[in-house]
């Protein structure tokens, strides 16, 4: 049985994540306030960021950068800036 959450990113009710995908307090916040659709959107942006900026997930600074981008995107209505990428309308 799926659960419904009010998604802070999309400003609507949506299907919640099945389990907490990210550790700690931020992960709990995502689990309780972000829907599957918004999380999938973030994952797409995250992949583009990792590839574009050649991030190494073993580097704590790169992980901190990515986490800050994630929080900004999911909770602060900030758009992820990826060089050369123009979203389709």
């Amino acid at each position: 049985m799926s659960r419904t959450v009010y998604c802070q990113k999309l400003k609507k009710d949506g299907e919640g994540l099945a389990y907490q995908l990210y550790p700690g307090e931020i992960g709990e916040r995502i689990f309780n306030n972000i829907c599957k659709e918004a999380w999938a959107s973030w994952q797409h942006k995250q992949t583009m960021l990792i590839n574009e900026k050649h991030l190494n997930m073993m580097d704590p600074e790169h992980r901190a950068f990515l986490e800050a981008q994630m929080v900004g995107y999911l909770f602060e209505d900030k758009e992820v800036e990826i060089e050369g990428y123009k979203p389709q309308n």
Side-chain angles (χ1 to χ4, degrees), residues 48-66:
M48 293 172 70
L49 265 176
I50 291 169
N51 291 336
E52 174 69 31
K53 298 201 177 284
H54 305 287
L55 300 179
N56 175 355
M57 293 299 90
M58 297 300 288
D59 184 328
E61 288 180 18
H62 290 194
R63 287 196 314 266
F65 169 78
L66 197 60

Side-chain angles (χ1 to χ4, degrees), residues 62-73:
H62 290 194
R63 287 196 314 266
F65 169 78
L66 197 60
E67 183 176 279
Q69 293 292 309
M70 176 181 69
V71 169
Y73 180 75

Side-chain angles (χ1 to χ4, degrees), residues 4 8-9 17 19 25 29 32 35 42 48-49 63 66 86-87:
T4 301
Q8 286 187 343
K9 172 67 177 165
L17 300 167
Y19 51 90
E25 187 178 315
R29 191 171 168 204
N32 291 324
C35 67
W42 162 248
M48 293 172 70
L49 265 176
R63 287 196 314 266
L66 197 60
K86 293 183 177 46

Side-chain angles (χ1 to χ4, degrees), residues 31-43:
F31 180 72
N32 291 324
N33 300 290
I34 299 297
C35 67
K36 281 185 176 183
E37 181 183 352
W39 182 253
S41 174
W42 162 248
Q43 287 184 307

